[in-house]
Amino acid sequence: MDRDEVDRALARLGEEHEAIETSLLALQDHAGRRLLEGAELTGVTRDRWASTEQAIALLWGYFDAYAGALRSARELRARRRWPSRDDLVALTDRLRGPSVAVASAAARPAPSSDGPAKLSERFTLEALVGRMNTLYARSLDVVVAADAVWSALPARIDLLAAELQRTRSLAHSVGVRPGEHPAGDELDSITRELSELRVQAVSDPLAFWSPATASSAPGGGRPDTGRYDRAARSLEDVRREIEAVLAVRQDSETRLLRLRDVLSRADRTLTEARAARGEVLARIAASEVPAVSGPPTVLQERLATAAEYRRHAQWHRLSPLLESLEREAEDELLRARESLTAVTAPLAVRAELRGRLDAYKAKVARHGMAEDPLLIERYDVARRMLWSAPCDLRAAEQAVLRYQRAAAEVLVPRQPGSADGGGHRGEP
């Protein structure tokens, strides 16, 4: 190396020395490192921090050796303004050769199969900087990861624990307790999970760290909040259930009255269907009439149970019972209406046939054909069938159709020279 190359190399190494020193001091003062030093660690974090402490101590040993080698090179260069050839050879060896000896106390060499461990290692200044950069990145990664978890998880767990305590108080006020309601058991489970989670997050933060696979920078990644998120979702589900129980306490009387009204309407509809069935069996012949079920006694009993829960302020039991009763009561009313419709279907058919017969009679009268003997005869036959009891619907429908066909023939204008020659029309 000539003089200018030496000076440039010393300047560059001086800048690296300052940068490394600044980084090491920042690592030394990092809040995460101080917390790691004072914490009672367990699991993954305990093992990695023990290794990291050795790495940090090794870093300072490397740095001291690096600083000493740089200082020695600077002193050699400062002897003469124009260094001699021997000086340049010595400087070249110190700046580019394996001139830095690191004692075993700093290098901590491992024993090899070829023999005992070496007492020291030798590095070039460039290789020593590379070794320090590697150790620094690994150490900083551990410190930053632990600090990130400590900054994120315990505080969030404490906030969720406070929310859990409020929810427990609210649950207790409405009778939701462990052993009596699933939500009470779930609150107990969440309480245990948060307690364990906080202890583990404080003592073993690296167990909750997800490193970023796409990044090689120290501290790349994020805290793993999976367990916390599951606990938060469970608490939210319980909170909604407690709110539902509270809503029951506030509007239970209204809902019970509404339920009584729905069941009463279902009962009245079934009574009407039973009466209609008797009328249909008496008035309509040859017709299949479905049976009508009895009143919803089981729902009435459950409604009485719901009223009992309300009187004794057992809101956590009343809430699910009311929800199922409301669904079943609406289904019962729908079934009662369908039963009434099915039972009265023959009466509806008879009413439709009566209406159709009278409508055709009125139409015939408007066209001046009311006195036609065939129409009068067929009308009387159909009318007697429809207004007699019991009424044979099938025969009555055929009579109405015969009257319709006869009326249609009367109402269609005849063309001169038609095939029947004005003879007898209609069916014999």
Side-chain angles (χ1 to χ4, degrees), residues 244-315:
V245 173
L246 281 172
V248 168
R249 183 172 68 176
Q250 293 169 358
D251 61 4
S252 58
E253 181 62 24
T254 302
R255 292 172 70 180
L256 284 171
L257 290 173
R258 191 184 306 120
L259 272 171
R260 292 189 183 98
D261 177 63
V262 172
L263 291 178
S264 177
R265 279 187 286 158
D267 194 16
R268 290 195 302 269
T269 303
L270 288 175
T271 301
E272 184 181 352
R274 285 190 291 272
R277 186 174 188 271
E279 180 182 355
V280 170
L281 291 174
R283 297 186 180 185
I284 307 296
S287 179
E288 295 181 0
V289 184
V292 180
S293 63
T297 55
V298 174
L299 291 182
Q300 292 289 355
E301 292 172 359
R302 295 178 65 197
L303 183 61
T305 301
E308 191 71 15
Y309 285 161
R310 185 181 183 278
R311 280 193 296 273
H312 292 87
Q314 293 179 315
W315 311 112

Side-chain angles (χ1 to χ4, degrees), residues 81-102:
R81 182 177 180 183
W82 299 99
S84 65
R85 176 176 177 78
D86 291 340
D87 292 339
L88 290 174
V89 170
L91 285 169
T92 300
D93 179 63
R94 295 188 183 189
L95 296 177
R96 290 185 175 177
S99 59
V100 185
V102 180

Side-chain angles (χ1 to χ4, degrees), residues 242-416:
I242 301 302
E243 289 177 351
V245 173
L246 281 172
V248 168
R249 183 172 68 176
Q250 293 169 358
D251 61 4
S252 58
E253 181 62 24
T254 302
R255 292 172 70 180
L256 284 171
L257 290 173
R258 191 184 306 120
L259 272 171
R260 292 189 183 98
D261 177 63
V262 172
L263 291 178
S264 177
R265 279 187 286 158
D267 194 16
R268 290 195 302 269
T269 303
L270 288 175
T271 301
E272 184 181 352
R274 285 190 291 272
R277 186 174 188 271
E279 180 182 355
V280 170
L281 291 174
R283 297 186 180 185
I284 307 296
S287 179
E288 295 181 0
V289 184
V292 180
S293 63
T297 55
V298 174
L299 291 182
Q300 292 289 355
E301 292 172 359
R302 295 178 65 197
L303 183 61
T305 301
E308 191 71 15
Y309 285 161
R310 185 181 183 278
R311 280 193 296 273
H312 292 87
Q314 293 179 315
W315 311 112
H316 61 290
R317 294 180 178 174
L318 180 59
S319 175
L321 181 57
L322 278 180
E323 290 179 3
S324 62
L325 272 175
E326 285 168 342
R327 290 192 301 269
E328 294 171 20
E330 290 294 337
D331 292 342
E332 184 63 32
L333 179 58
L334 179 61
R335 282 192 295 270
R337 289 171 174 169
E338 291 173 347
S339 181
L340 178 60
T341 300
V343 165
T344 57
L347 294 177
V349 171
R350 187 185 66 173
E352 191 272 333
L353 290 174
R354 286 176 173 181
R356 196 194 312 171
L357 182 65
D358 289 341
Y360 266 89
K361 181 183 178 184
K363 186 175 182 181
V364 167
R366 286 197 303 273
H367 288 79
M369 298 295 182
E371 301 303 324
D372 186 277
L374 181 61
L375 292 180
I376 292 173
E377 177 192 349
R378 293 192 175 180
Y379 175 80
D380 289 341
V381 171
R383 192 178 191 284
R384 279 195 304 273
M385 289 184 178
L386 287 171
W387 267 267
S388 64
C391 171
D392 188 335
L393 282 180
R394 295 183 180 89
E397 184 177 14
Q398 292 301 317
V400 171
L401 288 174
R402 284 195 296 272
Y403 177 72
Q404 288 180 228
R405 286 195 290 267
E409 289 182 4
V410 168
L411 297 177
V412 173
R414 294 189 176 280
Q415 301 296 329

